[in-house]
Amino acid sequence: MAYDPKDVLRDGNSLLGAARQLLADHDRALAEVQRGLAPLRAEAARGQLASIPVERLKDVTGGRLRVGALEKAGFATVADVLGTTRYRLQLVPGIGPQTAAQVHAAAGSLAEAAERSAGIRVDLERQDDVTTPLVIALHRLVNAGPDVPRARAAAERLAERLGPLTHDARPAGSWWRRLFARPAKRERAEKALTELAQAVEAEGSRDTGLLMSQASVDLLRPAVSADEAWIDFELRASDYQTLLAELASLEPAREAAEGFVPSDLAARVKAQPLDDTYRRVSLRGYQSFGARFALVQQRVIIGDEMGLGKTIQAIAAIAHLRAEGGTHFVVACPASVLINWVREIEARSTIPAHPLHGPGRDDALAKFVADGGIGVTTFATLPMLDVPLDVDVTMFVVDEAHYAKNHETRRAKTVASWCRRVDRVLFLTGTPMENRVEEFRSLVAHLRPEVAKQVSPGEAVLGAQAFRSAVAPVYLRRNQKDVLVELPEVVHVDELEEFSAADGAAYRRAVAAGNFMAMRRAAYAVPKKSAKLDRLLELVEEAEANELKVVVFSYFRDVLAAVEAALGPDAHGPLSGDVPPARRQEVVDEFTAAPGHAVLLAQIQAGGVGLNLQAASVVILCEPQVKPTMETQAVARAHRMGQVRTVQVHRLLTPDSVDERMLKILRTKTRLFDQYARRSDLAEQTPDATDISEQTLARQIVAEEQERLGTS
């Protein structure tokens, strides 16, 4: 033998002990979370049962119960029944001991079902004795680090494998056991010892023992104080909510999580393995499905709504391909999100990220070519990115892919060239069709020309099934409300403010001149007399009183300048197209890190794309936007996974003006977007659901307002 049997047994038992210890430590941490969940489940169940009429008890018993006597006695709901005793039920005329027992048992059965299905959401505003123990318990698991799931999986595998091997190999560990063992047992011991030695050597090369021991140490740290747990929850809410969704089984409906793709395709996707060796983050069920969808279909669009973690899904797919031997990956994105991509790759994976942009681009490219990893570049740099053809790029990812919808632009032509070069391509976009189905079709043409030919606008009008069958192989979309079951609600409020005299005069001049853009911002033409600006300041003051962060969006720089002058030097920003991407991220970081209340100003074109603004729970839109998707994107930057507060969206509008005219016309565009892109489905197609261009919109509104005001 090339190894000492005693050493092999010692090392094998040590590894087995570390695996079992980790499983026990992790189980204790999980049990602590479940104890924290129990009172919240019971509370949620009681609220649900209070809305269920007592008549529904008949459904539990197949209609055998007569509940009329209970209703006459004042028992209106199932909660009323659970709130009393069997003896009290027996005092109801017409209810005997047997019926009382059946009624109570049926109510208990409904209570158990309600607790199992109760949705649990941690509310930052409710830091009481019921919720706090759960947050403290979650803190232990969240702060144990991203390697715990991998360590747990290794421990389960080793416990299952090494337990029998160490048991069977024991006779080979000493001369007297070998002497008294039967021949068959000695032979089995030698075989087990050989397998055990191989397993110990293999796990040693992977540092599995160190991985499990470190995870156990992290799980055994003392519980933190309530204040520390809540502060950490607010800073890392996304991690807490992801873990809570997993442990509380807060899974969305299967069809919604799978984007309503056909069942045969869904089955193939779910059968696809997803290796997590190079991944350092747990995935939600719908995220895992999205990554697998990209792997199975190879050339696809993930069009999930903003805030659902499209970046993480792309990283998960890349990590799997890296585990299969892929070495080089390229991500193309707007400059505004390049830094965010690099950060996410570094935080969520063990694959090196190379920012291929800016002054150090050449050196970074050389290192990327030599060492491999994920090269992250911008649309502007992509045409100049000289990656040698002998470098096998395993996957090409395009973020905000709708920017490549116009095939005549240099950007789109470069993206198309890379799509031809790389077998696996993943487009990420929350707005695959901004104005018309034809734009969605143009994106598909980059990936699967044969599918794009099937998705003609005429065919789409035929109905839901024709559209879905045409795009299913290449398109996956899920919505926040369908899959983020713990996401706080978003409250939309239209703030109607009449023109002041100065506003009205500026508006009439703009209408007379036929200046659509001047009409849109006339309400801020004289800031000191602006009714909209006064209301904006009131909203900011209210947010300050509640220590809430605010983000203010406008299309116009001069409007933001007026807001900035009114707010003073404490406002962050404004973010605009001419602010370098690195500085944009710095401004957002400063805004996020500011204690308590803060205000961030952003041009909606710059701040509504690619930036994470979940620190803000109040969103103010200075004026309605020509593209409904622009507003949707902007709001989704705050109302996204990890948000812990209800998001208030205030849109400032002036009645009997361009604002109301725009909203009336744009409802058609919003409905068209919803039907095709948002639901991955065409519920119905009405004759008036047609596109209208920005120029047509402007001409129509100007003409209507000139006629109304008599200035034509």
Side-chain angles (χ1 to χ4, degrees):
M1 290 184 183
Y3 47 79
D4 187 320
K6 290 183 179 179
D7 290 344
V8 172
L9 277 169
R10 183 193 65 240
D11 293 344
N13 280 308
S14 175
L15 202 57
L16 177 61
R20 288 174 173 170
Q21 184 63 56
L22 172 59
L23 293 175
D25 295 338
H26 194 239
D27 286 343
R28 276 194 297 272
L30 294 177
E32 191 177 349
V33 172
Q34 294 302 329
R35 284 194 295 272
L37 278 169
L40 288 169
R41 286 189 189 279
E43 183 181 274
R46 284 194 298 272
Q48 186 176 346
L49 295 174
S51 65
I52 300 177
V54 71
E55 186 182 37
R56 294 295 302 275
L57 291 174
K58 292 193 297 185
D59 298 339
V60 182
T61 59
R64 294 191 301 273
L65 283 179
R66 296 179 179 179
V67 296
L70 291 174
E71 293 172 333
K72 290 179 181 178
F75 293 91
T77 69
V78 175
D80 295 337
V81 173
L82 283 173
T84 190
T85 63
R86 292 185 186 181
Y87 176 74
R88 171 71 180 82
L89 291 174
Q90 292 177 42
L91 299 180
V92 175
I95 301 293
Q98 183 177 356
T99 302
Q102 290 177 329
V103 167
H104 221 268
S109 177
L110 281 178
E112 291 177 4
E115 286 194 22
R116 286 194 301 270
S117 63
I120 306 297
R121 181 170 70 84
V122 176
D123 186 351
L124 191 64
E125 307 302 327
R126 183 188 169 179
Q127 299 184 20
D128 56 18
D129 293 339
V130 178
T131 310
T132 297
L134 173 61
V135 176
I136 292 174
L138 289 169
H139 178 278
R140 182 188 303 279
L141 286 164
V142 168
N143 285 274
D147 289 330
V148 168
R150 190 159 59 92
R152 167 94 195 196
E156 290 175 341
R157 172 173 50 80
L158 289 178
E160 182 179 357
R161 184 183 182 194
L162 298 188
L165 288 179
T166 54
H167 176 272
D168 290 347
R170 283 186 65 194
S174 65
W175 66 267
W176 61 271
R177 281 199 176 99
R178 286 197 300 272
L179 180 64
F180 291 103
R182 294 179 179 177
K185 192 172 184 179
R186 282 200 301 271
E187 183 180 349
R188 187 165 64 248
E190 293 295 340
K191 182 179 178 182
L193 190 69
T194 301
E195 290 186 32
L196 185 60
Q198 293 170 346
V200 168
E201 182 180 3
E203 300 302 333
S205 66
R206 301 188 190 107
D207 286 331
T208 306
L210 179 62
L211 174 70
M212 295 187 298
S213 297
Q214 184 60 55
S216 279
V217 169
D218 292 338
L219 289 168
L220 290 173
R221 288 175 180 162
V224 299
S225 68
D227 288 343
E228 187 176 347
W230 278 109
I231 290 170
D232 192 60
F233 171 80
E234 184 167 7
L235 293 174
R236 306 173 60 189
S238 178
D239 294 334
Y240 279 80
Q241 301 287 26
T242 296
L243 182 61
L244 179 62
E246 177 184 343
L247 299 184
S249 298
L250 301 179
E251 290 300 323
R254 178 184 60 80
E255 294 85 356
E258 296 171 0
F260 303 99
V261 301
S263 57
D264 58 336
L265 176 55
R268 293 200 306 275
V269 170
K270 286 184 284 190
Q272 165 68 41
L274 192 62
D275 195 298
D276 65 354
T277 303
Y278 292 90
R279 175 164 38 93
R280 302 183 70 244
V281 61
S282 296
L283 301 179
R284 298 194 176 207
Y286 75 88
Q287 291 173 334
S288 175
F289 187 88
R292 296 169 196 265
F293 178 82
L295 293 170
V296 169
Q297 295 300 95
Q298 299 192 4
R299 301 171 70 86
V300 299
I301 302 169
I302 292 183
D304 288 345
E305 192 172 12
M306 296 291 179
L308 294 185
K310 293 187 289 293
T311 302
I312 290 175
Q313 294 175 61
I315 292 172
I318 289 173
H320 176 87
L321 295 171
R322 175 67 187 89
E324 288 192 335
T327 55
H328 293 76
F329 308 87
V330 172
V331 174
C333 61
S336 60
V337 297
L338 182 140
I339 295 173
N340 185 62
W341 262 99
V342 173
R343 287 183 178 183
E344 287 290 292
I345 293 166
E346 292 173 346
R348 310 298 185 181
S349 78
T350 58
I351 306 172
H354 305 275
L356 308 179
H357 177 69
R361 183 182 73 209
D362 292 340
D363 291 341
L365 179 60
K367 188 169 180 58
F368 167 68
V369 170
D371 300 343
I374 305 176
V376 186
T377 191
T378 66
F379 288 129
T381 305
L382 189 63
M384 300 174 283
L385 195 66
D386 186 18
V387 178
L389 293 176
D390 60 350
V391 173
D392 184 15
V393 176
T394 307
M395 176 175 272
F396 176 49
V397 178
V398 182
D399 194 13
E400 305 293 352
H402 51 278
Y403 287 159
K405 64 193 175 188
N406 186 347
H407 287 238
E408 300 304 315
T409 63
R410 184 188 186 196
R411 174 189 300 155
K413 289 177 180 178
T414 305
V415 167
S417 175
W418 274 89
C419 288
R420 289 190 294 270
R421 171 175 174 172
V422 181
D423 291 336
R424 293 181 180 273
V425 181
L426 174 56
F427 280 5
L428 305 177
T429 175
T431 55
M433 187 210 69
E434 288 187 296
N435 289 310
R436 55 180 70 86
V437 177
E438 182 62 27
E439 293 176 357
F440 172 71
R441 180 176 176 269
S442 73
L443 283 183
V444 178
H446 285 304
L447 303 168
R448 303 273 294 274
E450 76 282 2
V451 175
K453 292 176 182 177
Q454 302 172 27
V455 191
S456 66
E459 184 178 23
V461 174
L462 295 178
Q465 294 304 316
F467 182 71
R468 289 179 66 178
S469 62
V471 303
V474 73
Y475 175 55
L476 179 68
R477 181 177 177 91
R478 281 76 56 89
N479 299 332
Q480 284 186 349
K481 65 183 179 63
D482 292 331
V483 297
L484 288 189
V485 292
E486 86 292 343
L487 191 67
E489 63 179 329
V490 56
V491 178
H492 291 270
V493 180
D494 282 347
E495 306 278 353
L496 296 173
E497 298 295 325
E498 296 281 355
F499 277 136
S500 68
D503 297 337
Y507 184 71
R508 285 190 291 274
R509 288 195 297 271
V511 172
N515 190 331
F516 179 63
M517 290 303 191
M519 290 165 59
R520 291 183 61 198
R521 60 185 190 273
Y524 303 91
V526 187
K528 291 184 178 180
K529 299 180 180 180
S530 168
K532 273 191 179 183
L533 187 54
D534 286 345
R535 178 54 182 153
L536 185 150
L537 295 176
E538 290 173 359
L539 293 170
V540 170
E541 288 175 7
E542 183 179 338
E544 183 178 14
N546 290 282
E547 296 190 337
L548 301 177
K549 284 185 167 64
V550 182
V551 58
V552 178
F553 286 114
S554 175
Y555 185 85
F556 303 101
R557 295 189 188 188
D558 54 353
V559 171
L560 290 177
V563 175
E564 183 179 20
L567 290 174
D570 293 334
H572 296 261
L575 299 179
S576 60
D578 57 1
V579 176
R583 178 55 189 154
R584 261 185 246 183
Q585 188 62 55
E586 288 175 1
V587 171
V588 173
D589 290 344
E590 291 164 3
F591 168 70
T592 301
H597 168 75
V599 180
L600 174 67
L601 309 179
Q603 252 190 310
I604 199 164
Q605 310 93 302
V609 176
L611 296 174
N612 184 345
L613 303 176
Q614 71 184 40
S617 54
V618 178
V619 177
I620 300 176
L621 301 168
C622 291
E623 71 284 323
Q625 303 304 311
V626 173
K627 293 182 178 180
T629 53
M630 195 173 283
E631 289 188 12
T632 302
Q633 286 179 329
V635 173
R637 290 298 158 200
H639 191 243
R640 61 192 293 118
M641 185 169 55
Q643 177 60 263
V644 294
R645 290 187 171 92
T646 297
V647 176
Q648 307 169 43
V649 180
H650 300 268
R651 182 165 53 179
L652 303 178
L653 304 173
T654 303
D656 291 325
S657 74
V658 62
D659 293 352
E660 283 199 337
R661 302 281 181 194
M662 281 178 62
L663 293 179
K664 181 178 179 181
I665 296 171
L666 291 174
R667 287 192 188 102
T668 298
K669 293 177 71 174
T670 302
R671 182 165 61 249
L672 182 64
F673 174 79
D674 282 346
Q675 289 170 339
Y676 282 95
R678 181 178 297 279
R679 300 192 182 96
S680 301
D681 189 4
L682 178 59
E684 60 179 331
Q685 176 66 21
T686 54
D688 63 338
T690 55
D691 175 52
I692 182 166
S693 70
E694 185 171 340
Q695 292 76 17
T696 303
L697 179 73
R699 285 196 299 270
Q700 181 178 342
I701 291 176
V702 168
E704 289 178 357
E705 287 296 274
Q706 287 180 337
E707 182 178 355
R708 183 177 70 86
L709 296 175
T711 61
S712 57

